[in-house]
């Protein structure tokens, strides 16, 4: 047994008061050294704003002890770095996953031991409401118990700062350092739930925050206020994919008087198994199977799908043949951006800023340019968009829209994370607008392509599980850094950007280097000739490496050929690097 993980395993195995269900699960792993190593070879670490992992016993698993250790470190950090912590408190929300409610209560039990009040929602709520609640209640931080669209065996904890945005990299570093000061997860102080309630250190939140959020939601509409009260006959089918967004999305659409909204019955109720889908991810077309069946029955114009914690939105609309086409995140983002800018005052647009990530379609930049709106790129992850919005509060710049290719959108900054509720309402309003013009959203998208170019994007994702997989992912990135690419699929590399070193190399002159003015991240991007690009990025929360591609062709066919060629080249390259040893 390796001493690297064996000591941690022995510590858990011999702990007398180990929670009973975790003890049973640990006993089942006895003798399975590979499974034990994966459970104990490291501690869950902060990725994109928190921790996320497979449920079960172990330091590399999500359980009450990893939750307690993380919250203990956060409590210590907050007491050192923010003011009036105990009075302002922390707000906690949770989704439909296994152990979500239990983890929310465990969070309050740790904060309670420090005399910090915790506001906990009385039932599951979506992530954007948690972001809003931080700002509405004026708390020092927020915590969302969720694993987003990961498989059922996962759960996680996302931390939000007092602005309502995901914690920044600098904040994360300090929190991680604080967590490391807690050497023993089994000795974290906790206050029992009954004592929390007795001492009023836990406040159960009802509908007050929901109602305040909905008051803000109606204000994002671009319709004439006189039109709000008119019945809108657009046929809509919505699936919350067994998650949290059902109530707020349907109530939001009711506020705008959409009268033909149907919810997919089989997926309306929360279900930690997500039993009707292979994956509760609206990025994947299989998630729309039941919505498409229902849409065909009702002749729906638009289908909506939100992920379990309600921060990502997928949309499907009818094409010319009458079949439903699931829009990519880039396509929906481009449509929303054009609709918002075309319905915004020209005076507002002068100082407006559109935010997107470095792996999001360049079509967004082309659209923003056409309206005289400046585009700002951020690193991948909506926390960077939230951080930029916070900077605008002091610079006086106006946030007008933010999005990323992975189905995350934000229209108004009353929330500071991607918001599928806002996006769902705006998507339906947009569909209603184009319907009145005699166009589907597919036809509206074609107008954008004809005007700005046939932009097309793709993404390959490779999952390599366990310690061995993490090592392989590191080897892929190292291999490409050691052998810089000068050509990809017969396209010359014009710029090579390494976000880990913050260095951009201009290939027209190998001696010319520029500094990338963004935080450091393990990511490589290659800007190619003819409006093409490739980006490699290991996931911060999953054992994956993602390869993003973007092209702009002279026609849809030209774009498809270019994209296929680049994808094939990169897939072969990654395979060679995996099996090189």
């Amino acid at each position: 047994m390796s001493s690297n993980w064996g000591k941690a395993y022995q510590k858990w195995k011999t702990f007398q008061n180990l929670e009973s269900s975790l003890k049973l699960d640990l006993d089942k792993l006895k003798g399975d050294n590979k499974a034990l190593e994966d459970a104990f070879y490291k501690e869950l670490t902060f990725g994109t704003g928190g921790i996320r992992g497979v449920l079960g016993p172990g330091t590399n698993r999500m359980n009450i002890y990893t939750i307690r250790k993380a919250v203990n470190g956060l409590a210590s950090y907050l007491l050192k770095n923010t003011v009036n912590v105990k009075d302002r408190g922390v707000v906690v929300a949770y989704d439909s996953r296994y152990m979500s409610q239990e983890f929310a209560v465990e969070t309050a039990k740790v904060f309670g031991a420090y005399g910090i009040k915790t506001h906990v929602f009385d039932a599951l709520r979506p992530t954007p409401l948690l972001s809003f609640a931080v700002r509405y209640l004026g708390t020092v931080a927020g915590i969302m118990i969720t694993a987003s669209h990961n498989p059922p065996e996962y759960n996680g904890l996302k931390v939000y700062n007092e602005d309502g945005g995901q914690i920044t990299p600098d904040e994360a570093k300090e929190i991680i350092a604080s967590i490391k000061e807690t050497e023993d997860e089994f000795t974290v102080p906790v206050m029992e739930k009954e004592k929390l309630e007795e001492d009023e250190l836990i406040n159960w939140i009802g509908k007050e925050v929901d109602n305040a959020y909905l008051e803000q939601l109606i204000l994002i509409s671009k319709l004439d206020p006189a039109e709000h009260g008119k019945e809108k006959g657009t046929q809509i089918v919505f699936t919350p994919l067994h998650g949290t967004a059902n109530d707020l999305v349907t109530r939001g659409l009711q506020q705008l008087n959409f009268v033909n909204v149907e919810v997919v019955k089989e997926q309306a109720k929360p279900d930690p198994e997500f039993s009707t889908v292979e994956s509760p991810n609206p990025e994947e077309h299989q998630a729309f199977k039941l919505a498409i069946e229902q849409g065909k029955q009702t002749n729906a114009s638009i289908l909506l799908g939100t992920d379990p914690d309600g921060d990502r939105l997928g949309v499907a609309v009818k094409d010319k043949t009458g079949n439903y086409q699931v829009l990519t995140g880039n396509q929906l983002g481009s449509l929303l951006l054009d609709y918002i800018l075309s319905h915004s005052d020209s005076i507002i647009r002068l100082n407006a800023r559109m935010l997107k990530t470095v792996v999001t379609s360049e079509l967004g930049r082309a659209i923003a340019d056409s309206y005289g709106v400046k585009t700002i790129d951020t690193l991948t992850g909506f926390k960077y968009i939230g951080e930029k919005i916070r900077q605008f509060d002091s610079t006086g710049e106006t946030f007008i829209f933010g999005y990323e290719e992975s189905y995350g959108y934000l229209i108004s900054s009353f929330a500071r994370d991607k918001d599928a509720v806002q996006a769902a309402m705006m998507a339906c309003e947009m569909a209603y607008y184009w319907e009145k013009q005699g166009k589907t959203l597919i036809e509206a998208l074609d107008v954008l392509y004809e005007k700005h170019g046939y932009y097309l994007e793709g993404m390959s994702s490779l999952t390599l599980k366990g310690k061995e997989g993490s090592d392989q992912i590191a080897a892929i990135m190292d291999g490409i850094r050691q052998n810089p690419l000068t050509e990809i699929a017969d396209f010359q590399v014009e710029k090579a950007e390494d976000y880990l070193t913050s260095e951009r190399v201009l290939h027209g002159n190998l001696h010319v280097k520029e500094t990338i003015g963004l935080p450091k991240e393990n990511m490589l991007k290659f800007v190619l000739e003819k409006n093409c690009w490739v980006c490699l990025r290991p996931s911060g929360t999953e054992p994956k490496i993602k390869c993003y591609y973007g092209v702009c062709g002279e026609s849809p066919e030209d774009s498809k050929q270019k994209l296929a060629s680049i994808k094939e080249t990169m897939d072969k390259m990654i395979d060679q690097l995996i099996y090189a040893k």
Side-chain angles (χ1 to χ4, degrees), residues 98 111 118 160 173 207 213 221-222 250 256 265 277 331 337 378 391 415 472 484:
Y98 288 117
F111 281 129
T118 309
Y160 289 76
K173 282 179 187 176
K207 293 288 187 182
Y213 173 94
S221 173
K222 297 298 181 182
T250 51
L256 274 184
K265 186 178 179 181
V277 290
Q331 289 171 333
L337 174 64
T378 72
Q391 291 173 14
Q472 287 177 314

Side-chain angles (χ1 to χ4, degrees), residues 293-421:
E293 290 173 5
Q294 194 161 326
K296 286 178 178 176
Q297 292 172 6
T298 60
N299 195 30
S301 301
I302 184 169
L303 315 178
L304 309 170
T306 53
D307 70 345
D309 68 319
D311 62 353
R312 296 173 194 258
L313 174 74
V315 164
V317 291
K318 277 187 177 177
D319 61 21
K320 293 173 184 176
T321 65
N323 292 315
Y324 287 100
Q325 178 180 327
V326 179
L327 298 176
T328 68
N330 283 311
Q331 289 171 333
L332 179 57
S334 298
L335 283 165
L336 287 169
L337 174 64
D338 182 71
Y339 176 74
I340 290 164
L341 295 184
S342 67
H343 288 79
S344 297
D345 190 282
S346 58
I347 301 298
I348 291 173
R349 294 200 301 257
L350 286 174
N351 198 40
R353 303 290 182 262
M354 189 276 282
L355 301 172
K356 74 173 190 66
T357 73
V358 294
V359 297
T360 300
S361 175
E362 289 299 302
L363 176 57
R365 190 188 311 278
I367 292 168
D369 285 349
S370 72
Y371 288 99
V373 170
K374 183 180 177 182
T375 296
I376 297 175
D377 285 313
T378 72
L379 289 179
T380 305
F382 224 88
K383 62 184 173 185
Y384 297 109
I385 291 176
E387 187 180 16
K388 265 296 178 195
I389 297 170
R390 188 176 193 175
Q391 291 173 14
F392 292 167
D393 291 341
S394 57
T395 64
E397 294 164 281
T398 302
F399 169 73
I400 201 160
F401 186 63
Y403 76 116
E404 59 185 2
E405 87 301 330
S406 55
Y407 288 55
Y409 318 95
L410 184 64
I411 292 133
S412 175
S413 59
F414 62 80
R416 294 291 167 97
D417 200 1
K418 50 188 176 288
D419 188 338
V421 181

Side-chain angles (χ1 to χ4, degrees), residues 238-244 246 263-271:
F238 167 54
T239 172
L241 294 177
H242 303 293
T244 59
N246 194 356
V263 178
V264 177
K265 186 178 179 181
E266 299 93 329
Q267 297 171 332
K269 290 186 178 179
D271 173 11

Side-chain angles (χ1 to χ4, degrees), residues 142-262:
I143 288 177
M144 183 72 198
I145 307 295
T146 179
S148 188
H149 56 276
N150 280 70
E153 64 268 24
Y154 281 78
N155 210 331
L157 173 153
K158 285 170 72 174
V159 182
Y160 289 76
N161 57 33
E162 63 185 346
D163 190 55
Q166 293 182 44
I167 53 170
T168 65
D170 288 341
E171 289 167 333
K173 282 179 187 176
E174 291 191 47
I175 293 168
I176 290 166
S178 184
I179 291 169
K180 286 180 178 176
E181 291 174 7
T182 306
E183 292 183 4
D184 189 349
E185 61 268 31
F186 295 138
T187 59
V188 172
V190 292
M191 179 181 283
E192 290 309 308
K193 182 182 170 186
E194 295 74 18
K195 181 66 172 169
L196 286 174
E197 292 175 331
E198 182 184 322
D199 291 356
E200 297 184 343
L201 285 171
I202 188 167
N203 170 43
W204 297 101
I205 306 172
K207 293 288 187 182
E208 175 197 351
V209 177
D210 304 41
N211 295 335
Y213 173 94
L214 288 165
E215 287 176 7
Q216 293 295 314
L217 185 67
I218 191 70
L219 300 179
I220 75 171
S221 173
K222 297 298 181 182
L223 296 174
D224 188 292
E227 205 168 358
H228 287 180
K230 294 179 182 177
E231 286 194 355
K232 297 165 187 68
T234 302
Q235 293 280 348
I236 301 163
V237 170
F238 167 54
T239 172
L241 294 177
H242 303 293
T244 59
N246 194 356
D247 183 60
L248 284 181
V249 169
T250 51
R251 289 174 69 188
L253 292 173
Q254 285 170 5
Q255 286 188 149
L256 274 184
N257 222 359
F258 282 99
V259 294
N260 293 321
V261 181
E262 288 194 8

Side-chain angles (χ1 to χ4, degrees), residues 90-94 104-105 108 118-123 202-206:
V90 176
V91 58
V92 180
Y94 56 91
V105 173
T118 309
H119 305 271
V120 184
F121 282 95
D122 61 1
I202 188 167
N203 170 43
W204 297 101
I205 306 172

